[in-house]
Structures are given as structure tokens and as C-alpha cells.
Amino acid sequence: MSKNNLHLLKIIVMTLSKAEENYLKAIFKIAEKENKSVSTNAIARHLNTTAASVTDMLRKLSEKELITYEKYKGVSLSTSGNKMATNLIRRHRLWEVFLVNKLRFAWHQVHDIAEELEHIYSEELIARLDAFLDYPKFDPHGDPIPNAEGKFTIRNQTALAELFAGQNGIVLGVKDSRDDFLKYLTDMHIKLGSAIKIQKITHFDKSMHITIDERTEAVISHQVAMNLLVRIQ
Amino acid sequence: MSKNNLHLLKIIVMTLSKAEENYLKAIFKIAEKENKSVSTNAIARHLNTTAASVTDMLRKLSEKELITYEKYKGVSLSTSGNKMATNLIRRHRLWEVFLVNKLRFAWHQVHDIAEELEHIYSEELIARLDAFLDYPKFDPHGDPIPNAEGKFTIRNQTALAELFAGQNGIVLGVKDSRDDFLKYLTDMHIKLGSAIKIQKITHFDKSMHITIDERTEAVISHQVAMNLLVRIQ
DNA sequence: GTCTGAATTTAGGCATGTCTAAAAACAATT
DNA sequence: AATTGTTTTTAGACATGCCTAAATTCAGAC
């Protein structure tokens, strides 16, 4: 076997530690929002650690050619790093679907558990889980689940706040998936698939008077409406 | 809060590392077979590590009062250590049921994946998984799954080798759950619940001529018969 | 009871992933 | 272009969990 082939083998066989995986995921997520190379500080903030620790890890990930890193210039994922991060997101979201659809967890309870489950590495496990869940394209928060090749499904979705009085929307997901927001939605009986009809918008504060699933009347703030994603009917 | 209560709290809240959990499980399993205090070397063999590493860990587990340990005298699990180990076995076996019954993995594929899954700590996850699987009492190898209180279900099971010609047995599990044995059984179409009828026993080598599920005829060695557990019909 | 070989522990090291404190580099303003 | 404040990196430490090699303890044969 030539030296080149050995190099290839190394990449294929490489398995990452939980910490390394979490860094890749963090870089992916930050890069997704801010459209530029990712700063050391941003990663430290995201992972609740120090800039010094981040620098250490960046050196390591760079050696493994998972990121492109130049001192003081921020990082971006390499092709293989991107693949790894996408795969992690796939695993995370599939487990979330499992926890909600099969184990009947509530929206807001699943993130931390999925965070653990995603680090279990087995191609076959994920393939079988995917099949068991019937190849879901979106997770319980409405975020797209990349397929085995890393392709995300895209769909039209609009913040509820964009709609006018009289319009209808079907809830597809949320922009903010923090616990308290998800709990608030659950309390309001708003869930994935709920039909929202805008009855009236108060111009003063842009709060909306809505009907949920043709049953419940409610008033929601502009902030809530901005974080609810719907398909316009 | 008194000092005593704080002590109690510490025990309740304590979470263990993967390594610590694996040691507890190893001690439990070795103690189950050999009916005496567990030796350092036995643990090292079981975990594929060195005696020196084991000693280090025993000191640590002893400080946490999960084991009873005196230098040079072997170890045994304390009450709380036993509880932890039992709970781990519960998690492991529940995940194995999930992998086989829901994800349709084969018998021999599930051990390593369950080995990872068992370390995810969430009371609620396991409670919900248990319910989702319909509170199974035995895992895919026929080993009993302790309930949330740590109680194992006991049932009558006999090695197939104990039966006489003409007797019938229902396969309940295996004594040896190593890959190649499980694969062999799969190839022979022997699975949990299979009905085995003993047609004839060759005295010379105690091999058995059997009928499997009233369909397949086969000859199995004494060694195989000793590792197949059945309920006599 | 002493000896000898096996079992166990101690001592010292190493990799990983974290930290704090200090130094270096950068960028933005004057 | 110098200064200042922020960002990033380096240096040095620490905990965990593992290792090898050496010392110690034990247990069984004599």
C-alpha cells in the first residue's frame, strides 16, 4: 500500500473524542449564524469554557485536518470536519425524534439526552434508527435532519410575525429552542402542526390575537411570533 | 441542613465516570460467578487492563464508598455500589431489547452498542424506554432485566444438555453469549422461543439430534447443548 | 518457620482536556 | 505611528485514567 493510501485510511478510520466532536459542532453552529471565520472567543462562549482551552483544541483539530486554522485568524471547518459536524447534527436530531415520537418526551426535555446519544458512534445504529423513525426530514423543533450524505431538506417557512390578520399558518418549528420558550408553547397548546389563525394584530406592540387549532384563543407577543416558524396556508 | 444530611445528599447526587461504572459492573459480574471477594487480577483480566490501573481505581471507588476494599484482600460491592451496578445492568439489557426488538439488530450485534448506551444517565430516559419496550423481564440473550428497584426475575431454566431423548424445550436464552456462538445459533435457525425436540442422543459424544420448531433437523454438539437454556415442556 | 513464585501495590510517567495568569498580537482611534 | 483595549496564544498546573517497572505482601510447599 502506498503512503498516499495510508493517509486516506487514516482519515476514514479516525474516531473523535466527545470533546473534539463538541468543538466541531460548535464551530459548525457558529459559522452557520455568523457568516465568517469563527473566533476563539465565540467558541469559548458557546462551549462554556476558556479561550485558552479553545486554542489548545484548535491546534489539535488542525493537526487532524478537520479545521483550517491560522493563529489569530479564526477557524473554519475543512471538508472532512464539515462532514463530521453534519453527521453529528444528523445523529442528534434523529435521537430527538426518537425521544419525542417514540418515548413521548416533551419538546423541551430532549436536548440534553440527545447531546449524549449523538456521541455513540455506529453507522448501522443510525441507519437503523433512521429507518425505525421512518426517515424523518425534520426534528421536533422543526430543524432539518441531514441525510446520510449530509444533504439538508429545505422548505418554505416564515416567522409567524410576518403574517397579516386573517392569514393562517401551520407550525413547522421554532427559531429559539430554549427550554422556557418551548415550555411556554406547550402551556399554550401550540405544537408542531398546530394551525394558527391570525385574528387581529395590535399595531401598538405588534402583539397578535390568534386562534390555535380552531379551538383556543390566545394573545402572543411580537417576540413569540418572531420565534414561531410556520408554513403559510 | 445538618452534616449528616449533606453526606446523604452527596451519595444521592453522585454521578460516576464511564470508567468507574465499568469497574463496578466488572466487580458485579465476577462476584456473580466466583462466590468470593473479587481479586485485582480478575478485574484486570475482565477489563483488559493492568493490575496497577485496577489498584488505582479501587482506591478511588473505596473513597466513594462504592466498594469494600482492604489492600491485598480483594473487593466486594457496598450496598450503594451494588445498586449502581444493578442499575447499569438494567440499562444495558433494556437497550439490548430495544436494539433487537425495535431496531431489528441481530443477537450478536448489540452488545457493544449497548455498552455505550448504558452510560447515558437519565432516570426518565430509562423509565420511558422500559415502558416503550413493555417492561421486558429478559434481554435478547435470556438474561433477566432487574426492575427499577433492582429485583431480578427468576425462572426455571435448564441447559438443553440435561434433557433426555423425547423431551421438548423452549429456548429461553444462552449461557455463553459470545459472538460466534450467537452467530452459529442464528445460522441454525435457533432463536429465543424456538421449540427444540430431542430426537436422539449419541452416547459416545453426547451430541444431540434435534428438531427445531418442528421443521429443521439438526445435530448439535454437547458443548452447544450445555450453553442453550430451555424451559422443559 | 522459611522460601519462592504469584498477586498486589507503589512510584513515576504519559495523554487528554481543562484551568489561571501572563505575554503577545491585533485593531481601532487619535 | 503610537497608544490602548481586546482577543488570542503561551506557559505552567491540575485531575483522570491509563501505563511500565520495581517493591512489597501473601500463600503454599517444603
Side-chain angles (χ1 to χ4, degrees):
Chain A
M1 198 181 273
S2 80
K3 221 177 166 186
N4 273 336
N5 282 342
L6 274 173
H7 175 72
L8 221 91
L9 196 64
K10 189 191 74 183
I11 288 180
I12 292 167
V13 157
M14 180 167 47
T15 59
L16 303 181
S17 71
K18 210 159 142 176
E20 289 171 321
E21 290 193 331
N22 284 334
Y23 273 90
L24 290 182
K25 212 171 46 142
I27 296 167
F28 183 95
K29 289 202 169 174
I30 298 165
E32 205 179 26
K33 280 185 207 170
E34 307 165 29
N35 214 14
K36 52 180 180 207
S37 84
V38 174
S39 77
T40 302
N41 260 354
I43 298 170
R45 259 194 309 279
H46 195 276
L47 292 178
N48 234 309
T49 181
T50 63
S53 305
V54 174
T55 300
D56 281 353
M57 184 59 96
L58 293 185
R59 211 183 13 73
K60 239 178 83 183
L61 293 174
S62 184
E63 260 161 40
K64 296 190 178 183
E65 296 181 51
L66 294 164
I67 60 175
T68 305
Y69 171 53
E70 255 186 292
K71 280 208 275 187
Y72 296 105
K73 300 213 171 153
V75 288
S76 58
L77 294 174
S78 71
T79 307
S80 62
N82 197 282
K83 209 170 278 181
M84 296 251 183
T86 306
N87 200 249
L88 265 167
I89 285 168
R90 170 171 161 75
R91 296 188 236 162
H92 181 96
R93 292 184 181 167
L94 282 174
W95 281 117
E96 285 201 344
V97 172
F98 169 70
L99 294 172
V100 169
N101 290 8
K102 301 292 182 178
L103 297 197
R104 303 274 144 218
F105 271 98
W107 261 11
H108 64 275
Q109 300 176 291
V110 299
H111 186 82
D112 292 348
I113 298 176
E115 201 78 3
E116 298 295 317
L117 287 163
E118 74 189 11
H119 294 294
I120 294 173
Y121 180 72
S122 162
E123 290 282 342
E124 188 162 3
L125 174 64
I126 296 307
R128 284 175 180 273
L129 182 66
D130 196 19
F132 180 62
L133 299 174
D134 231 354
Y135 308 101
K137 296 279 167 286
F138 298 90
D139 80 7
H141 310 105
D143 294 318
I145 300 173
N147 68 13
E149 284 71 46
K151 283 260 176 303
F152 288 86
T153 301
I154 295 167
R155 65 181 168 187
N156 279 331
Q157 50 189 29
T158 318
L160 187 69
E162 307 286 322
L163 274 64
F164 302 111
Q167 280 192 291
N168 293 285
I170 300 290
V171 175
L172 294 179
V174 293
K175 238 183 208 159
D176 178 337
S177 54
R178 274 175 301 186
D179 266 31
D180 47 0
F181 181 51
L182 295 176
K183 270 187 212 160
Y184 166 82
L185 293 179
T186 303
D187 288 347
M188 300 289 280
H189 302 99
I190 296 174
K191 49 189 179 301
L192 283 203
S194 286
I196 309 280
K197 180 171 183 120
I198 316 275
Q199 299 294 359
K200 187 162 161 274
I201 300 172
T202 305
H203 281 266
F204 167 62
D205 63 356
K206 299 182 186 160
S207 66
M208 288 176 158
H209 180 165
I210 62 175
T211 304
I212 302 155
D213 289 326
E214 300 181 353
R215 235 177 302 139
T216 324
E217 308 253 317
V219 175
I220 60 174
S221 71
H222 183 58
Q223 214 205 322
V224 167
M226 288 208 304
N227 283 297
L228 254 184
L229 300 172
V230 299
R231 178 176 60 238
I232 299 173
Q233 286 303 84
Chain B
M1 198 181 275
S2 80
K3 222 178 167 185
N4 273 336
N5 282 344
L6 274 172
H7 175 72
L8 221 91
L9 196 63
K10 189 190 74 185
I11 288 179
I12 292 168
V13 155
M14 180 167 47
T15 60
L16 303 182
S17 71
K18 211 160 143 174
E20 290 169 321
E21 290 193 331
N22 285 335
Y23 273 89
L24 290 182
K25 213 171 44 141
I27 296 167
F28 183 95
K29 289 200 170 176
I30 297 165
E32 207 179 25
K33 282 185 206 170
E34 307 165 28
N35 214 15
K36 53 181 180 199
S37 85
V38 174
S39 78
T40 302
N41 260 355
I43 298 170
R45 259 194 310 280
H46 195 276
L47 291 178
N48 233 308
T49 181
T50 62
S53 305
V54 175
T55 300
D56 280 354
M57 185 58 96
L58 293 185
R59 213 184 12 73
K60 240 178 83 182
L61 293 174
S62 183
E63 260 162 39
K64 296 190 177 183
E65 295 181 52
L66 293 164
I67 60 175
T68 306
Y69 172 52
E70 255 186 292
K71 280 208 273 185
Y72 296 104
K73 301 213 172 153
V75 287
S76 58
L77 293 174
S78 71
T79 306
S80 63
N82 196 283
K83 208 170 277 180
M84 296 251 183
T86 306
N87 201 249
L88 266 167
I89 285 168
R90 171 172 161 76
R91 295 187 237 162
H92 181 96
R93 294 184 179 167
L94 282 174
W95 280 117
E96 284 201 344
V97 172
F98 169 70
L99 294 172
V100 169
N101 291 8
K102 301 294 182 178
L103 297 197
R104 302 275 145 216
F105 271 99
W107 260 13
H108 64 273
Q109 299 177 291
V110 299
H111 186 83
D112 292 349
I113 298 176
E115 202 77 2
E116 297 295 317
L117 287 162
E118 74 189 11
H119 295 294
I120 293 173
Y121 180 72
S122 162
E123 289 283 340
E124 188 161 2
L125 175 63
I126 296 306
R128 284 176 180 273
L129 182 65
D130 195 21
F132 180 61
L133 299 173
D134 230 353
Y135 308 101
K137 296 279 168 283
F138 297 90
D139 78 7
H141 310 104
D143 295 317
I145 300 172
N147 68 12
E149 284 72 45
K151 283 260 177 300
F152 288 87
T153 301
I154 294 169
R155 64 180 168 188
N156 279 331
Q157 49 189 30
T158 317
L160 187 67
E162 307 285 322
L163 272 64
F164 301 110
Q167 280 191 290
N168 294 285
I170 299 291
V171 175
L172 293 180
V174 292
K175 238 183 208 160
D176 178 337
S177 54
R178 274 175 301 186
D179 266 32
D180 45 0
F181 182 51
L182 296 176
K183 270 187 212 159
Y184 165 83
L185 293 178
T186 304
D187 288 348
M188 299 289 280
H189 302 100
I190 296 173
K191 47 188 179 302
L192 282 202
S194 285
I196 310 280
K197 179 172 182 117
I198 317 275
Q199 299 293 0
K200 187 162 160 276
I201 301 173
T202 303
H203 281 265
F204 168 62
D205 63 353
K206 297 182 186 160
S207 67
M208 289 175 157
H209 181 166
I210 61 175
T211 305
I212 302 155
D213 290 326
E214 300 181 353
R215 235 177 301 140
T216 325
E217 308 252 319
V219 175
I220 59 173
S221 71
H222 183 59
Q223 215 206 321
V224 167
M226 288 208 305
N227 283 297
L228 255 183
L229 300 171
V230 299
R231 179 176 58 237
I232 299 173
Q233 285 305 83

